[in-house]
Amino acid sequence: MKDSKLSHVDSDGNAKMVDVSEKSVTKRTATAQSIVVFPEAVFDRLSKDNFLGKKGSIIQTAIIAGTMAAKKTSDLIPLCHPLALNKIQLDITPGNKQLEITATVKCEGKTGVEMEALTAASVAALTIYDMCKALTHDISITETKLMAKEGGKNAFNR
Amino acid sequence: MKDSKLSHVDSDGNAKMVDVSEKSVTKRTATAQSIVVFPEAVFDRLSKDNFLGKKGSIIQTAIIAGTMAAKKTSDLIPLCHPLALNKIQLDITPGNKQLEITATVKCEGKTGVEMEALTAASVAALTIYDMCKALTHDISITETKLMAKEGGKNAFNR
Amino acid sequence: MKDSKLSHVDSDGNAKMVDVSEKSVTKRTATAQSIVVFPEAVFDRLSKDNFLGKKGSIIQTAIIAGTMAAKKTSDLIPLCHPLALNKIQLDITPGNKQLEITATVKCEGKTGVEMEALTAASVAALTIYDMCKALTHDISITETKLMAKEGGKNAFNR
Amino acid sequence: MKDSKLSHVDSDGNAKMVDVSEKSVTKRTATAQSIVVFPEAVFDRLSKDNFLGKKGSIIQTAIIAGTMAAKKTSDLIPLCHPLALNKIQLDITPGNKQLEITATVKCEGKTGVEMEALTAASVAALTIYDMCKALTHDISITETKLMAKEGGKNAFNR
Amino acid sequence: MKDSKLSHVDSDGNAKMVDVSEKSVTKRTATAQSIVVFPEAVFDRLSKDNFLGKKGSIIQTAIIAGTMAAKKTSDLIPLCHPLALNKIQLDITPGNKQLEITATVKCEGKTGVEMEALTAASVAALTIYDMCKALTHDISITETKLMAKEGGKNAFNR
Amino acid sequence: MKDSKLSHVDSDGNAKMVDVSEKSVTKRTATAQSIVVFPEAVFDRLSKDNFLGKKGSIIQTAIIAGTMAAKKTSDLIPLCHPLALNKIQLDITPGNKQLEITATVKCEGKTGVEMEALTAASVAALTIYDMCKALTHDISITETKLMAKEGGKNAFNR
């Protein structure tokens, strides 16, 4: 365990935002993933259509939704700081019966962009779900996790 | 596969919102889950503190964040219809090294609330992550999926 | 006390949104007020300028801000239901060293619009504060309260 | 009166945002309060329940709502600048038949965070109202005002 | 002139939202257009690339942005009513040195969806601009107008 | 054509946000216009009323709506970076059967504010449309374009 206390909980147990006033501004990057798993028949059919619903819109729509969601992170996660993001990139690639989403976010600020990367990946995954749910509800979103971060006090690499 | 076409993709491959004009208004419910998995030492410590960061704020904050996110679903997922929700309920319970989130959403409308339930569960999971990330980044969000839906053309039950 | 329990708290003490599924749709109206109190010299000056900052923008801006805020109520108050509003009206009139805001909101729905009226009045008051704070910080917002409601289970009239 | 003109009104009387381009970036803090006054019987009951609706959710929910609202200030108040906030803290304590909210906001920017602190306190107060309105509508929100600010051209302390 | 008064202005000249309480719920549709005009060389190049930036993202991104913007109309236009939309469709087709956007919106409500269709078309146009502005700033957005509406008191057809 | 590639499209054709990490922070300004054209009889009547709906609200409301929209630009345009704006100013003046909107936005950042100025002008134009549409639907919004920008790699002046 890298830290000895939960930074978001004050001495009375009430939720509070961490004070980043004294932290220095550095360039920060975080990469997160999320995976959308399909039943084989559904995946085969999506795959045969190039995972694209004819002209690419499933992946395109999910990339755009994830990009826009990264910008809403501090509006969704109560104790996140609002940050000016320098870059949001999502990549979605087919794997074994699954679509694999990778989201990388960069900023130059006093706190990291892990939550922005995780939110981008999660909302891209939800969007894929939404665009495929007419085919099946046997879809699950799994392994949403941080893959790497750098630029803050502690780097992290899976 | 319950349906023979992807309802969100038009004949040119461009994304489009489904037309629900001719669907009838019915009472609809959907339940989704999401699971947050911790390293054992972190989970034990959270558990010893009653998963609560002293006075309960991790679970409380996640429940509120998930509730508010359900109301933002159509703002996050590009092709979702805006819906007047009648009820949003989140429950978060400890399991084996994990917190299990269940989100149930109800509406009376022309289209279902699966995405609202999935979004509520996902954002609650992201909030738990955010509130625990000072302890570890070895947290993953898994098994985000629909558990049940009723009130539309097809019921679903896992 | 009109009711024997707090409707927003479940048996475990966790926040939850009230289930309005079984409530009937009725026409509902609520009126709220909020009052902005100024130091005498500041009020006199504003008054001499017709409370208007030359061409009326303080009151106009506050009316528009309050109107827009009423539409954001369910995004601001965690357990409020999203509602389709039929009407939002704000009136702001000068009193004794104070500007008096009245906000009336109407909808046709399963739950009342008290919070929408209170939010509209509060944000109009905050906007007046913002537009006058270059003159003084000795402004206070007071007596934000419900004046009347009708159309639900219980009418209320102050 | 600390200033000789209303900074938000241009020479034609139209609303305009102040130009902060030439202001320097400094660390800024503002503290605001808002007070929620209850009828005695309602307050006693809330007090007996530790103001908490069994497990604390009234105060917890209000703290979270106020924190999230501070981040929405520039979306609510038409002429506010968007700011990257370093810290938002809300405290809610019981007084004589009332709950007293204090909100402190910090940023490092070209303009102050008074409106953010006032918005946080106001929305926390509205949330308390919402969570108690099943008991009574005889609640009023009062004395919403700035308590202190520092870091800009003029400090302020009540 | 179809109407003898400006419905959004009250007797004091203050902005107000129209009261639609007494209007009946009907199915409503509106179609709007907006046109993005390019310099010939830029248009030719975009055209040669199938207006698509290699795999179609300009048009796809604009369609998604317009769809999402339609849902934000009442948050953008101060006196618009929030509406539950049944359908949003955008089509973007190349013309003579221009991209032509058509947006159709449907709802079942007490007021029309003209502003939703116009907002969808406008934001799609702005998105096209944004995605092409690295090539030139000699782009203009023109002829944003209503093409047809039906379902309300007065139909309209250009 | 000032640039040899579309900066928003990656090598696979998927939409991506430009990485501004290595760009330097400079003071940036952009000015955009949009024009709302009316039928002569409608314009004359609006003009006779001083374009103001009795006490000025059409222009006032449009100025406020445009100001607030500039702050929402990165929420509307998928690949726009969120920016801390220093100044937003809208001017609306009558011309020949038309209202002419000019929007100027300033920031100190790594990327320009063209889209913010264009969004402000567009939403102000939509708001004018909304406030006059009870009189006629023969209104069109035209010539939305950038007038000038400075502070980035390339200045622009029409």
Side-chain angles (χ1 to χ4, degrees), chain B residues 27 59-60 63-64 67-68 71-72 83-89 91 106 108, chain C residues 13-22 74-75 77-82 110:
Chain B
K27 285 189 183 171
I59 283 173
Q60 288 272 2
I63 285 175
I64 293 168
T67 302
M68 295 178 87
K71 295 188 274 187
K72 289 184 213 284
L83 291 172
L85 307 180
N86 282 342
K87 163 81 175 163
I88 304 163
Q89 168 140 7
D91 294 295
K106 296 184 186 178
E108 202 162 332
Chain C
N14 289 322
K16 71 166 174 58
M17 187 186 257
V18 174
D19 188 347
V20 299
S21 300
E22 302 309 318
S74 70
D75 194 42
I77 313 293
L79 304 175
C80 269
H81 296 80
K110 289 168 171 259

Side-chain angles (χ1 to χ4, degrees), chain D residues 75-115:
Chain D
D75 194 43
L76 290 168
I77 312 295
L79 304 176
C80 269
H81 296 80
L83 292 172
L85 307 179
N86 284 340
K87 163 83 176 160
I88 305 163
Q89 168 140 7
L90 282 100
D91 294 294
I92 302 179
T93 53
N96 180 20
K97 290 184 283 178
Q98 63 193 29
L99 284 172
E100 299 166 7
I101 301 160
T102 308
T104 296
V105 178
K106 294 185 189 178
C107 85
E108 201 162 332
K110 288 169 172 255
T111 181
V113 284
E114 299 95 290
M115 294 317 302

